[in-house]
Amino acid sequence: MAPPKLLAGGNPQIPKGEGDAPVQAYIAAMPGWKQAIGRTLDRLIGEALPEVRKAVKWNSPFYGMPGKGWFLSFHCFDRYVKVTFFEGASLDPAPAGLSKYPQVRYLDLHEDAPIDEAQFVDWVKQASKLPGERM
């Protein structure tokens, strides 16, 4: 089977699907150093929230809580991996990356910058308690 096509910015083209398998296929197809970031994000989310729902939609992994919608996704770009918190403005402290949508906040993860795992897990736990996006 051929490896997934990489779209702009090195983002893997993975078919839509619910569950862990499509998310793991996406992470496995992330190019270079981005794959380690994807694995770390997925591990931290899964450890913080064992009941988390996973899916791939629009060539991005999505994470949500059963019955509450999606609270987070991530996506590959050329120089970083962008984590999207759909209700990020409600997090304390809110992630710094602003969006044209007032509630959305971004966290850009770069190759040579370590992830603040404690802060990320705190945001994940906070975000999981907020109303999620229905997509």
Side-chain angles (χ1 to χ4, degrees):
M1 186 162 126
K5 178 181 175 185
L6 295 179
L7 303 171
N11 197 56
Q13 184 176 29
I14 300 293
K16 282 184 170 183
E18 297 278 334
D20 187 55
V23 170
Q24 296 311 315
Y26 177 96
I27 292 169
M30 291 173 79
W33 57 268
K34 296 171 191 170
Q35 188 176 108
I37 288 177
R39 285 196 173 125
T40 298
L41 296 175
D42 186 67
R43 175 183 57 79
L44 292 171
I45 295 165
E47 288 173 356
L49 305 168
E51 69 278 20
V52 74
R53 289 178 52 218
K54 299 179 185 183
V56 169
K57 298 171 178 284
W58 304 284
N59 300 306
S60 295
F62 279 68
Y63 296 81
M65 297 305 291
K68 291 182 91 174
W70 306 105
F71 63 86
L72 178 151
S73 72
F74 61 87
H75 192 89
C76 291
F77 288 89
D78 282 331
R79 293 186 298 273
Y80 57 94
V81 174
K82 181 178 286 299
V83 179
T84 303
F85 288 95
F86 299 117
E87 293 293 324
S90 298
L91 303 179
D92 184 24
L98 299 176
S99 168
K100 65 182 179 179
Y101 302 103
Q103 278 303 110
V104 173
R105 291 293 184 274
Y106 299 122
L107 173 65
D108 294 344
L109 301 171
H110 297 267
E111 180 176 11
D112 296 325
I115 298 171
D116 182 340
E117 292 188 8
Q119 180 62 76
F120 181 76
V121 167
D122 184 55
W123 281 332
V124 165
K125 288 178 179 179
Q126 288 181 59
S128 73
K129 295 175 184 168
L130 299 171
E133 290 292 317
R134 308 281 181 198
M135 298 180 205

